[in-house]
Amino acid sequence: MSGTSSVGGRGVYEAGDQRNVKDSEKNEAQRYKEGQPNSHIANDSKDERSIANKLDRESKRENESEPISKEARDYQADPTLPAKKHGNEPSKGAKIDAELQQEEEELLKKKGIK
């Protein structure tokens, strides 16, 4: 029936684009490392990685530290920064957090820890 199509010639459908991998090449490949970096989302329910590969990845992730963005570090240093950055007055809780943080830093400096 593809011979009667007006979309394209027979070569479009029968060009042999699909090529099978040789069995010898299949066994040599390291299956876990074939994909591109960040091509798998860890919590994706439709991800088709094997359970062994998921367990392997999680065991490697235990040793990694999660990167903290510059913005998150700035917010940790000054709890009032997000409000100030948006042109608002910091909330009462943010002001109290800033005071507590300053007091803790002073105590640590007195003890010689920081």
Side-chain angles (χ1 to χ4, degrees):
M1 193 170 242
S2 66
T4 60
S5 173
S6 61
V7 176
R10 182 171 227 134
V12 173
Y13 301 104
E14 298 175 8
D17 290 338
Q18 184 174 1
R19 303 211 172 27
N20 296 327
V21 180
K22 297 176 186 174
D23 288 336
S24 61
E25 292 176 8
K26 276 186 190 177
N27 296 335
E28 291 176 7
Q30 290 182 345
R31 304 297 296 170
Y32 184 69
K33 299 189 182 217
E34 282 183 358
Q36 297 294 321
N38 301 321
S39 63
H40 292 283
I41 300 172
N43 298 331
D44 187 8
S45 63
K46 295 180 183 176
D47 193 355
E48 296 181 359
R49 284 190 293 179
S50 69
I51 294 173
N53 283 344
K54 288 179 183 179
L55 289 172
D56 185 36
R57 175 63 186 138
E58 289 305 316
S59 66
K60 289 179 183 177
R61 285 187 67 174
E62 289 175 358
N63 300 330
E64 296 176 0
S65 62
E66 292 187 25
I68 299 174
S69 68
K70 180 186 178 299
E71 197 172 71
R73 278 181 287 185
D74 293 343
Y75 291 162
Q76 288 174 352
D78 184 12
T80 61
L81 185 65
K84 290 178 183 175
K85 202 172 193 179
H86 291 280
N88 299 322
E89 182 182 347
S91 67
K92 185 176 180 182
K95 290 177 185 176
I96 292 171
D97 287 344
E99 290 174 12
L100 290 173
Q101 189 175 16
Q102 186 178 12
E103 289 173 5
E104 289 175 358
E105 286 178 7
E106 289 173 5
L107 286 173
L108 290 174
K109 285 180 184 177
K110 287 179 184 176
K111 292 181 180 180
I113 296 173
K114 198 170 186 181

